[in-house]
Amino acid sequence: MARFIPTAPRAFVSAASKTLTNGSQSRTASAYSLLQFHPYATSQTHKSPFTANIIRILSNEIEYQHDYAPPHQPATSFNSFTVQDRPGEKWMTMRGKCGEYEEIKIEATMFDGCVFVPKPGEDSTGENVVLHISLLVDISKGQGYPDMEFLCSAWPDHLEIQKVYLLNRDKTIINPYMERDLRRKKNRKLQRTLGDNLEERGVNNELCVFLHEYMMNKDRIELIQWLGNVKSIVQK
């Protein structure tokens, strides 16, 4: 079947959520119910040939997505972190603790960019696509201490710190001119030091591998749900 279904629901965004929503299981369950759909089971009575054809194409696409790479139930934990999906949105939230008082909050986008790298091997031609995820890591030590916020890049196999902020309890930046952009060469030593700090708290390369697997699955769930929503509108 020609692959011409729009990929708009996969549009990449970078944002940090400030509230949580419930109903993850019911939202996911509705996506899974679409996977059980049989393409010719829906009555097309009183539908124009054009509308009936659109419904058939959408039904076939849903079935194809299920057969090609069926999504699974999203993970609810990873190591010491809890995982909170945000169904219908382009990011998720993770929460954890370090010690008795320190709280860690991670907000991760779905894939929001990519780079092209040469395929390995002397005789290889072409390029591989390496997907990118943005992370916002907040570390809070409690009353009387400023929060630290890390803006990071999660690549498929490694974490890269981009910027670091010190925040007041109301999340305003302390001394904005002190914001550090760690992508510059002269800041590489500081980046390694801060990277070790995050490593101790479980924000590391292993987390990047998990996030890429999680977002691939989330992307499939969101796509199937979007296709089902479009099909429901066309059927009305």
Side-chain angles (χ1 to χ4, degrees):
M1 183 186 71
R3 320 301 308 154
F4 63 89
I5 296 298
T7 57
R10 304 192 198 193
F12 299 135
V13 298
S14 291
S17 61
K18 299 303 176 185
T19 59
L20 295 173
T21 57
N22 295 319
S24 172
Q25 292 182 347
S26 62
R27 178 76 158 77
T28 303
S30 65
Y32 281 115
S33 68
L34 292 170
L35 301 181
Q36 308 305 317
F37 177 80
H38 296 286
Y40 302 105
T42 301
S43 172
Q44 297 180 1
T45 306
H46 305 304
K47 301 292 184 184
S48 70
F50 177 75
T51 300
N53 189 50
I54 292 177
I55 293 173
R56 180 183 60 80
I57 292 172
L58 289 168
S59 299
N60 288 343
E61 181 68 13
I62 292 170
E63 187 175 49
Y64 171 82
Q65 291 296 331
H66 169 52
D67 293 340
Y68 173 70
H72 52 77
Q73 190 73 19
T76 57
S77 64
F78 172 74
N79 291 344
S80 62
F81 292 97
T82 60
V83 179
Q84 299 167 312
D85 190 25
R86 297 183 63 89
E89 300 183 23
K90 299 298 181 182
W91 58 87
M92 52 85 90
T93 303
M94 302 177 68
R95 296 179 186 273
K97 296 192 72 174
C98 182
E100 187 175 355
Y101 301 107
E102 188 173 281
E103 295 185 351
I104 304 167
K105 178 182 177 183
I106 301 171
E107 292 179 310
T109 69
M110 293 179 70
F111 302 117
D112 60 358
C114 66
V115 295
F116 296 90
V117 298
K119 290 184 177 180
E122 293 183 1
D123 299 328
S124 298
T125 59
E127 295 178 314
N128 288 330
V129 178
V130 180
L131 297 174
H132 175 271
I133 294 172
S134 294
L135 291 187
L136 201 61
V137 182
D138 288 320
I139 298 177
S140 174
K141 293 181 177 290
Q143 197 67 32
Y145 295 92
D147 293 350
M148 289 191 73
E149 186 171 81
F150 297 81
L151 178 61
C152 305
S153 291
W155 299 101
D157 58 356
H158 72 280
L159 182 76
E160 189 176 88
I161 302 174
Q162 303 292 347
K163 291 185 179 183
V164 181
Y165 306 89
L166 288 179
L167 305 178
N168 290 307
R169 299 299 295 174
D170 61 358
K171 298 303 180 182
T172 57
I173 299 176
I174 300 174
N175 296 334
Y177 60 88
M178 292 288 290
E179 171 196 328
R180 301 303 300 266
D181 186 339
L182 300 180
R183 291 169 293 185
R184 299 172 183 171
K185 265 188 176 180
K186 64 181 181 181
N187 287 324
R188 292 296 170 82
K189 184 176 181 180
L190 177 59
Q191 187 180 62
R192 286 194 297 270
T193 300
L194 292 172
D196 291 342
N197 183 275
L198 291 180
E199 173 80 32
E200 293 175 0
R201 289 156 176 79
V203 183
N204 51 27
N205 297 344
E206 185 183 1
L207 174 65
C208 293
V209 175
F210 166 77
L211 286 173
H212 276 256
E213 293 175 351
Y214 184 96
M215 292 307 181
M216 287 293 290
N217 185 64
K218 179 175 173 63
D219 184 68
R220 291 193 292 270
I221 291 175
E222 298 294 345
L223 174 60
I224 291 171
Q225 183 65 48
W226 181 82
L227 290 169
N229 291 341
V230 173
K231 178 173 168 288
S232 296
I233 292 171
V234 174
Q235 284 179 318
K236 290 182 178 179

